[in-house]
Amino acid sequence: MTLTTEQSAVRKSEAATPRRPPEAGPDAGAGSVAQHSALLAISAGVVGVLSYACTLLMAHLLTPADYSRYSAAVMLIGIVGIVANAL
């Protein structure tokens, strides 16, 4: 199939024209960022509360020697998590 000169010119102009997504304005996605930030803050709070409750429960249920092992394991997992997030 051969293109006419007019069709060729239209295709070249379409290829040269940069396409922007419809939401590419100065305030694009501002509400989405705020919603995601709130969700992230809420989830971090829930994780913190659950972690504190788990620590209290383990302190109550375990013997001092077992709790020492538990706290050492939690500390090592925390350090590995920090290093992994830094990478």
Side-chain angles (χ1 to χ4, degrees):
M1 177 177 152
T2 58
L3 294 176
T4 64
T5 306
E6 184 178 322
Q7 289 173 332
S8 178
V10 168
R11 287 202 178 171
K12 284 181 184 177
S13 69
E14 287 175 353
T17 305
R19 294 183 185 237
R20 292 185 351 183
E23 69 276 351
D27 294 331
S32 177
V33 171
Q35 289 172 351
H36 290 180
S37 296
L39 181 63
L40 183 62
I42 290 169
S43 64
V46 169
V47 167
V49 168
L50 289 176
S51 176
Y52 185 70
C54 183
T55 300
L56 290 178
L57 181 68
M58 290 298 153
H60 179 70
L61 294 176
L62 297 175
T63 65
D66 289 337
Y67 184 77
S68 296
R69 288 186 202 104
Y70 165 76
S71 61
V74 168
M75 180 188 64
L76 288 175
I77 290 171
I79 289 171
V80 168
I82 289 170
V83 171
N85 285 330
L87 298 176

